[in-house]
Amino acid sequence: MNNVKRPIIFFTLIFFTINIKAQDSTGVVPKKIYVTKPIEQTVPPTVDGLLTDEAWDLVEWAGDYIEFQPDENTSPSHQTKFKIVYDSKNLYIGVRCYDSEPDKIVKRLSRRDGFEGDWVEFNIDSYHDKRTSFSFTVTAAGVKGDEFVSNNGNNWDESWNPIWYTKTNIDEEGWTAELRIPLSQLKFGKEDEQVWGLQSTRRFFRAEERSLWQRKPIDTPGWVSEFGELHGLKQIEPQNQLEIQPYTVTSAETYEAEDGNPFRDGSENDVTVGLDAKIGVTNDLTLDLTVNPDFGQVEADPSAIALDGFQIFFREQRPFFVENKNIFDFRVSQSEAGDTFGFDNVFYSRRIGRSPQGSPSTGDNEFVDQPDNTPIIGAAKFSGKTKDGWAIGVLESVTAKRYALISNDVGEERKEVVEPLTNYFVGRLQKDFNNRNSYIGGIFTATNRDNLTQELDFLHKSAFTGGIDFKHQWNERDWYVGGNVIFSHVSGSEEAIKNTQESITHLFQRVGADHVELDTTKTSLSGTGGNLQIGKVGNGHWKFESGATWRSPELELNDIGFQRQADDIRHYTWIGYQTLKPDSTFRRVGINYNHWSAWDFNGNHNVLRFNTNSWQNWKNNWFSNLGITYTAMQYSNFALRGGPRLRQSSGVNMWNSVGTDRRKKLSFNMFQRTSRAFDNSNRFYYVEAGATYQPINALRISAFPSLSTNNDKLQFIDNFDDVNGTPRYLNGHIRQRTLSMSFRLNYTINPNLTIQYWGQPFISRGRYSSFKHIVNPTAKQFENRFQSYEEDQVTLVDDTYSIDENLNGVEDFSFDNPDFSFVQFRSNLVIRWEYIPGSEIFLVWSQDVSQNGDPSDGLLSSLGDNIFGQKPQNIFLLKATYRFVL
């Protein structure tokens, strides 16, 4: 135990002996007010970035920005000022960013929402709900950025792409910008005289400095709630959006032809059309429609392999589902402490349009045309937030019935259903009250599958989830209490519910789990989950959060949600300390402490972990962090895939990262993580290091190779129910090596014409040895948990292992060689031209090479042979959209 305490004490002393000079923010910050005026007799400003129009003379300048980062509440290096006027259709903003050395203004080009170089931003809380706002950013190079801000600044949605106009200009005093924002892109009420929340931020790139129009102390929680106010908006009418965006896609695919396979002749061609529409039902609420949507321009998912049996979470990248996703978000157990399965969500949009879940039964000499995905016939999304604090989201989507086509060697064809016609529904509602300091909300989801055939009877016929969430803040939002409660109900055939009970998420059949029982006659399953927490996030250096989360054994969210495991009760606590002022060494520093404890519903104490970590923003604008987690105790109900609860050895997990100043033309980043059991039963190491280079303002190149090594002496292989009268839970010693590199190139010809490339070679190789079976799964000593097979008990013939336990010459059981080598290369080249605002042309080239290599080969040689020596799958797309604004 002394060996355990030493590293924890050592790291803790490092963190708390950092020399910190800081001061608390005190007092109430007065709200600034800017009074705008309408354009009546004057001609509206021409958006050219010059600020010479007469309309700007109608109002006064607003200025006196105050520094926010790095030294809050001090004078910025250079001041900023702005004016705002409006007419019946538009809001106009003119801004002057002073700079004593205008030749040094950084004008880096990027795609929309790149936020590179010098920029100025305006956040408009037109609901004045103190929780949401619309953000408009323009860089000195004229690149636009726009985001929808929600949850009082905790969520910034870059997928929001309104139509607005901006131009910039550099002169001897610095740089200027003009913005024209159509009122149709904002949401507001019907009052004769409006009051909106307003904030403006300027980034002074050379000093990496942020300054604000409305001061916000570092230790004040929230963002939107701290805005100043925009007055003088009179007699403006809410505008209802009506936008229609048809598209057409021409695609061509080439790949390696397969002899005799009529479905793999080497090429395919297709032309499709579809439609997206955005209809303003009211100024507050918008109906989004999509018919036969195409997501061909979306970047492919990165390569990944999971040996623990659980599904891998991939982020949503499809535009229709990304926009306004914050309204539909319902995390089961998000926490500041982490380690609470924070990815679990009642709604996981990647389920819609997923790969077909069925696979046809085939005979000898039969070929299969298995579809890669399930087309979305149509989808509608009704969402928005009303002036009086109602956030509303309704999503309805229908995916098509999909068939696999089977053909034999004499040309006879038949079809089998591999995915049924499916309807997905999500309803979300939240209401602010208590002067916007509290909210309560709910969610309901439904998945219904039509006419399940015998081949698809393993799927749920229907699945429903529901939940209630709430949050209450007090003491100027410094303190909060919040949480949620959810329920689930799935129904289907006996086979479907049996599969659910036996899935790795539940494992009702596992040995020794007296509180659950596999019932093969059930046709439905209902469960609950939730999260309750209390915390402090403002007013001083110290923050904390503590809470508990649970998932009953029967909870099942995976028809339209994302859930890794059930049967878990977890307590967590996080305590954080932050500096409020820079000193001679650091711009800012944070130090954190966490601990977690988990039980199952049988009362077994399965997890006890402690963590301390720190992050640092150095004076030279480098970033670093380091941390250590001590696992005092850990048992897994899932490691043996239905076998008994398994003790896993105590150990430590350490990580650190270093990143140089990202403003430089050449910057470097490195991250490494290592974990090790004290008894040396497992060791893991991961390192990723790379560089980003921007030789000119228009070009950015990055390359980040990574390597991981995994040595686990107790890696699950398979279970055998009856070997000489008793079960065998087979494990082995895996030596896994994974090598990959993510390469990106972004070339911006102008803000509306960009070229982007992403490529990733990937290889993961695993070699197994030292086979063993579990005999005492909860033994304290690692060696007592299993019995190893000696060399003379194990035989490998034709890639199959045979085990002769009693050496009588008779095979007791056999299993396939578990060694593996998976090699993949994926890439996307996208040329995007926004030829008029909101209308785009995409030219896309995607490549994919996926091979099973030889596990006996070296990493690099196997990578080369299986990528460069193969014909890739090539997909070429030409997609054109036109956005009608009516």
Side-chain angles (χ1 to χ4, degrees):
M1 193 65 172
N2 289 336
N3 291 333
V4 177
K5 290 180 178 179
R6 287 193 191 107
I8 294 177
I9 294 172
F10 174 72
F11 274 92
T12 303
L13 288 174
I14 288 178
F15 297 162
F16 283 97
T17 53
I18 294 175
N19 180 29
I20 299 171
K21 298 177 182 177
Q23 66 184 43
D24 290 338
S25 298
T26 57
V28 177
V29 178
K31 295 284 187 183
K32 283 187 172 182
I33 295 174
Y34 182 78
V35 180
T36 183
K37 290 182 180 180
I39 302 170
E40 294 175 339
Q41 306 302 322
T42 310
V43 177
T46 301
V47 181
D48 55 15
L50 298 179
L51 300 179
T52 56
D53 303 274
E54 290 184 11
W56 297 122
D57 297 331
L58 295 172
V59 291
E60 301 296 325
W61 287 104
D64 297 324
Y65 280 50
I66 194 75
E67 188 170 322
F68 179 60
Q69 294 175 359
D71 193 1
E72 199 276 318
N73 200 24
T74 59
S75 297
S77 299
H78 296 89
Q79 265 300 336
T80 310
K81 62 183 183 180
F82 65 83
K83 291 183 175 184
I84 300 177
V85 294
Y86 67 96
D87 59 24
S88 61
K89 295 293 184 181
N90 299 282
L91 190 75
Y92 301 88
I93 303 176
V95 58
R96 156 71 67 184
C97 300
Y98 289 101
D99 194 319
S100 59
E101 299 178 283
D103 56 321
K104 294 183 179 180
I105 294 171
V106 178
K107 299 184 295 179
R108 290 187 179 172
L109 287 167
S110 70
R111 190 171 169 174
R112 188 170 186 157
D113 298 331
F115 306 107
E116 298 291 338
D118 285 278
W119 51 253
V120 65
E121 176 179 283
F122 290 87
N123 295 170
I124 300 171
D125 176 13
S126 52
Y127 291 116
H128 207 210
D129 63 3
K130 302 182 181 180
R131 289 188 62 212
T132 59
S133 70
F134 303 94
S135 178
F136 301 88
T137 306
V138 57
T139 74
V143 178
K144 292 193 292 189
D146 30 52
E147 299 164 289
F148 179 68
V149 185
S150 60
N151 197 15
N152 201 5
N154 288 322
N155 292 320
W156 294 68
D157 183 2
E158 294 181 6
S159 69
W160 181 62
N161 289 322
I163 294 178
W164 58 290
Y165 307 87
T166 185
K167 289 289 185 181
T168 60
N169 181 63
I170 293 178
D171 56 27
E172 66 278 1
E173 292 186 285
W175 65 283
T176 56
E178 287 182 306
L179 295 74
R180 177 167 72 88
I181 303 169
L183 294 178
S184 63
Q185 308 301 302
L186 302 173
K187 311 298 181 184
F188 52 91
K190 296 181 179 180
E191 292 86 353
D192 289 340
E193 185 166 356
Q194 305 273 336
V195 175
W196 293 355
L198 179 67
Q199 178 64 288
S200 178
T201 307
R202 178 184 175 184
R203 181 193 193 186
F204 178 54
F205 185 82
R206 298 197 298 279
E208 189 57 311
E209 176 186 288
R210 304 288 198 279
S211 57
L212 303 177
W213 173 63
Q214 170 67 58
R215 184 195 167 202
K216 180 197 173 298
I218 290 289
D219 62 337
T220 302
W223 175 253
V224 183
S225 58
E226 310 309 308
F227 285 4
E229 294 181 352
L230 175 63
H231 290 205
L233 296 163
K234 300 177 181 179
Q235 307 298 321
I236 60 172
E237 294 291 331
Q239 310 288 308
N240 293 344
Q241 275 182 292
L242 180 54
E243 299 173 8
I244 299 175
Q245 189 173 41
Y247 79 84
T248 181
V249 176
T250 302
S251 64
E253 183 177 351
T254 64
Y255 47 84
E256 185 76 39
E258 296 180 14
D259 291 339
N261 187 343
F263 305 120
R264 302 287 293 177
D265 60 2
S267 65
E268 295 178 17
N269 299 284
D270 196 15
V271 177
T272 59
V273 295
L275 179 73
D276 295 320
K278 188 181 293 289
I279 303 169
V281 179
T282 69
N283 179 254
D284 300 316
L285 302 171
T286 302
L287 178 64
D288 292 274
L289 302 172
T290 184
V291 178
N292 192 29
D294 172 79
F295 307 113
Q297 77 279 12
V298 172
E299 187 175 288
D301 293 320
S303 305
I305 285 182
L307 295 180
D308 59 5
F310 292 104
Q311 59 187 320
I312 300 173
F313 180 89
F314 291 109
R315 67 186 178 92
E316 180 61 86
Q317 302 183 84
R318 298 171 296 176
F320 177 81
F321 295 105
V322 170
E323 188 173 357
N324 274 353
K325 67 179 179 179
N326 58 286
I327 289 181
F328 297 92
D329 190 57
F330 198 105
R331 300 286 181 93
V332 178
S333 53
Q334 192 171 20
S335 74
E336 294 287 349
D339 203 20
T340 58
F341 309 111
F343 279 123
D344 286 6
N345 206 311
V346 172
F347 176 48
Y348 179 50
S349 57
R350 292 290 294 258
R351 303 293 186 208
I352 303 175
R354 68 197 303 173
S355 297
Q357 300 170 80
S359 55
S361 56
T362 58
D364 295 336
N365 301 318
E366 285 191 322
F367 300 96
V368 178
D369 182 15
Q370 173 82 3
D372 295 326
N373 54 55
T374 305
I376 300 172
I377 299 174
K381 182 169 58 177
F382 179 67
S383 59
K385 187 165 185 179
T386 66
K387 179 69 175 178
D388 54 359
W390 287 97
I392 301 170
V394 178
L395 186 145
E396 171 74 19
S397 180
V398 178
T399 58
K401 178 184 286 189
R402 289 293 265 168
Y403 293 89
L405 187 61
I406 303 103
S407 176
N408 60 22
D409 53 358
V410 295
E412 297 173 335
E413 292 186 350
R414 58 187 174 88
K415 295 191 298 183
E416 283 192 22
V417 180
V418 291
E419 184 73 18
L421 181 72
T422 307
N423 178 265
Y424 298 94
F425 172 85
V426 184
R428 185 75 163 103
L429 193 66
Q430 263 190 0
K431 177 65 170 72
D432 298 339
F433 60 98
N434 188 28
N435 195 28
R436 312 293 184 176
N437 288 314
S438 308
Y439 70 77
I440 187 168
I443 191 171
F444 177 78
T445 75
T447 304
N448 289 285
R449 298 184 173 93
D450 180 63
N451 192 24
L452 291 177
T453 62
Q454 183 177 356
E455 294 84 4
L456 295 177
D457 211 27
F458 65 90
L459 297 174
H460 296 143
K461 176 68 175 176
S462 61
F464 304 98
T465 60
I468 297 173
D469 62 341
F470 72 95
K471 187 173 186 178
H472 171 61
Q473 302 166 101
W474 69 95
N475 196 32
E476 300 297 326
R477 296 183 174 85
D478 295 337
W479 288 80
Y480 65 90
V481 62
N484 61 65
V485 178
I486 59 176
F487 75 89
S488 69
H489 178 80
V490 295
S491 61
S493 67
E494 292 181 356
E495 179 189 0
I497 302 305
K498 178 176 178 288
N499 287 341
T500 302
Q501 294 176 80
E502 291 181 330
S503 69
I504 194 169
T505 301
H506 303 276
L507 295 177
F508 277 21
Q509 76 278 19
R510 67 183 185 268
V511 177
D514 299 332
H515 61 301
V516 292
E517 181 182 0
L518 179 63
D519 186 344
T520 59
T521 66
K522 273 183 171 289
T523 57
S524 64
L525 197 66
S526 300
T528 66
N531 186 35
L532 296 172
Q533 57 190 208
I534 185 172
K536 174 184 178 294
V537 291
N539 191 22
H541 298 282
W542 294 95
K543 304 180 180 182
F544 93 95
E545 182 179 271
S546 187
T549 179
W550 79 94
R551 292 161 175 78
S552 76
E554 302 84 5
L555 183 69
E556 172 58 37
L557 305 177
N558 285 317
D559 285 271
I560 196 173
F562 184 92
Q563 176 191 353
R564 281 177 61 86
Q565 71 180 56
D567 197 5
D568 188 85
I569 304 170
R570 192 162 295 232
H571 164 69
Y572 54 88
T573 293
W574 164 76
I575 301 172
Y577 179 91
Q578 63 174 348
T579 61
L580 304 179
K581 284 287 186 179
D583 61 19
S584 57
T585 306
F586 299 104
R587 292 164 67 101
R588 287 195 68 197
V589 176
I591 304 169
N592 303 297
Y593 162 81
N594 306 276
H595 70 248
W596 309 271
S597 214
W599 298 260
D600 61 29
F601 273 65
N602 203 28
N604 296 310
H605 194 184
N606 288 333
V607 173
L608 180 61
R609 291 196 186 100
F610 302 91
N611 164 264
T612 183
N613 63 82
S614 175
W615 55 266
Q616 306 87 32
N617 181 195
W618 297 75
K619 193 73 173 179
N620 62 359
N621 209 42
W622 284 34
F623 291 84
S624 60
N625 67 34
L626 68 162
I628 181 170
T629 297
Y630 162 49
T631 299
M633 177 184 66
Q634 185 173 7
Y635 293 82
S636 174
N637 291 336
F638 303 89
L640 296 181
R641 313 291 204 277
R645 177 172 175 256
L646 178 66
R647 183 176 189 140
Q648 297 177 320
S649 301
S650 299
V652 292
N653 174 21
M654 294 181 287
W655 69 91
N656 72 283
S657 69
V658 176
T660 64
D661 189 345
R662 292 189 288 262
R663 297 171 301 153
K664 304 296 185 183
K665 289 187 177 294
L666 181 63
S667 63
F668 298 91
N669 288 83
M670 183 276 295
F671 171 79
Q672 60 180 344
R673 179 167 65 91
T674 182
S675 62
R676 183 168 189 157
F678 296 130
D679 57 19
N680 206 34
S681 60
N682 63 72
R683 289 176 289 117
F684 175 85
Y685 179 73
Y686 173 85
V687 61
E688 179 182 66
T692 300
Y693 181 48
Q694 187 151 11
I696 58 176
N697 284 332
L699 178 64
R700 175 182 286 250
I701 304 168
S702 67
F704 282 84
S706 68
L707 172 69
S708 69
T709 64
N710 175 31
N711 292 278
D712 191 342
K713 296 180 180 179
L714 212 57
Q715 173 62 51
F716 175 81
I717 297 175
D718 204 352
N719 288 337
F720 300 88
D721 293 334
D722 187 359
V723 178
N724 298 322
T726 57
R728 294 290 182 269
Y729 310 111
L730 183 66
N731 285 252
H733 181 180
I734 187 174
R735 294 175 174 85
Q736 182 186 10
R737 305 291 181 266
T738 302
L739 178 67
S740 71
M741 185 181 76
S742 179
F743 176 82
R744 292 184 183 276
L745 183 150
N746 295 329
Y747 181 61
T748 306
I749 300 171
N750 61 56
N752 299 316
L753 180 59
T754 59
I755 301 173
Q756 294 183 304
Y757 175 82
W758 168 81
Q760 184 195 52
F762 173 92
I763 179 171
S764 187
R765 183 198 67 200
R767 297 171 179 169
Y768 287 79
S769 61
S770 303
F771 300 111
K772 61 205 70 168
H773 69 272
I774 303 299
V775 293
N776 187 0
T778 58
K780 185 175 182 180
Q781 296 299 319
F782 176 69
E783 294 78 10
N784 295 335
R785 295 173 204 159
F786 57 84
Q787 180 176 324
S788 296
Y789 291 111
E790 304 299 329
E791 287 187 10
D792 54 355
Q793 295 176 289
V794 182
T795 304
L796 176 63
V797 177
D798 294 332
D799 224 26
T800 299
Y801 280 101
S802 298
I803 304 295
D804 180 5
E805 290 189 339
N806 50 18
L807 297 176
N808 62 357
V810 178
E811 174 188 295
D812 292 300
F813 66 96
S814 63
F815 57 95
D816 293 336
N817 184 356
D819 291 357
F820 64 87
S821 176
F822 178 71
V823 185
Q824 189 171 64
F825 175 76
R826 286 179 167 178
S827 68
N828 283 78
L829 175 65
V830 180
I831 302 174
R832 171 188 171 273
W833 177 31
E834 187 175 2
Y835 56 95
I836 59 174
S839 300
E840 300 167 315
I841 292 176
F842 293 93
L843 180 61
V844 182
W845 174 30
S846 297
Q847 276 196 323
D848 191 324
V849 178
S850 298
Q851 298 284 334
N852 290 316
D854 186 343
S856 63
D857 289 344
L859 278 181
L860 289 175
S861 60
S862 184
L863 189 66
D865 294 343
N866 286 281
I867 291 180
F868 301 111
Q870 306 295 326
K871 182 176 181 179
Q873 178 186 24
N874 291 289
I875 299 176
F876 299 92
L877 296 175
L878 177 61
K879 178 178 181 178
T881 72
Y882 187 85
R883 193 169 182 176
F884 294 93
V885 181
L886 304 176

